[in-house]
Amino acid sequence: MSPIPAQEDFLFPIDALKDAKDKIQTANNWQEKYRQIMLMGKLLPSLNSQFHTDEAQVRGCESKAWLYHTRLDNRHYFLADSDARIVKGLAALLLAQCQGASGDQLRNFDASAYFQALGLEGQLSPSRTNGLMALVTQMQAAADSDEQDNAGSQ
């Protein structure tokens, strides 16, 4: 079985992520948005290499990306990392919106609308978009699986 990060690792402050998300939304051009996304990735805590496991790897992402999930007080929390700075920044954008969400909020999360509102629609390559959607799908599946497991054990 793979190692799992400690629960307190999932509770990193997200105010800086939300501020960075606002900078991306108000950036004047694609180059500035891209720069802000790369900077945003630096705000995510890096996962120790022991957590870069096959089980945590996001399938469908061209770059290597890893995702961990935990549930605390019926809220879902994630840790994400990538070997590509742009992917790590995009993961940070997702966490800025989804960290601490309820199961219903995650199920109803529309990633396409979110990235359109940020002015990123059409700016990302098809393979990057596919990887991003794979990350969203894995986040939603982790939350659904956890809630189903929890419902079955009650």
Side-chain angles (χ1 to χ4, degrees), residues 38-143:
M38 302 269 271
L39 290 172
M40 193 170 186
K42 292 180 178 185
L43 299 173
L44 273 187
S46 290
L47 287 173
N48 186 298
S49 62
Q50 72 177 355
F51 299 116
H52 291 179
T53 65
D54 287 341
E55 292 88 358
Q57 195 166 347
V58 178
R59 306 289 178 234
C61 193
E62 209 170 86
S63 302
K64 288 189 176 181
W66 301 272
L67 180 72
Y68 284 89
H69 165 262
T70 194
R71 188 171 92 160
L72 299 165
D73 298 324
N74 290 321
R75 297 283 172 185
H76 298 277
Y77 296 88
F78 300 91
L79 286 173
D81 201 359
S82 177
D83 63 353
R85 291 184 310 173
I86 188 71
V87 173
K88 189 166 181 172
L90 292 168
L93 267 175
L94 287 174
L95 269 55
Q97 189 67 26
C98 296
Q99 194 75 326
S102 68
D104 284 341
Q105 289 169 321
L106 280 172
R107 275 187 288 283
N108 295 321
F109 176 65
D110 184 343
S112 296
Y114 176 61
F115 283 97
Q116 182 178 11
L118 292 170
L120 299 177
E121 186 179 68
Q123 298 295 327
L124 302 172
S125 69
S127 64
R128 198 69 81 207
T129 301
N130 289 341
L132 192 57
M133 296 313 289
L135 184 58
V136 170
T137 299
Q138 195 161 324
M139 289 171 70
Q140 291 170 327

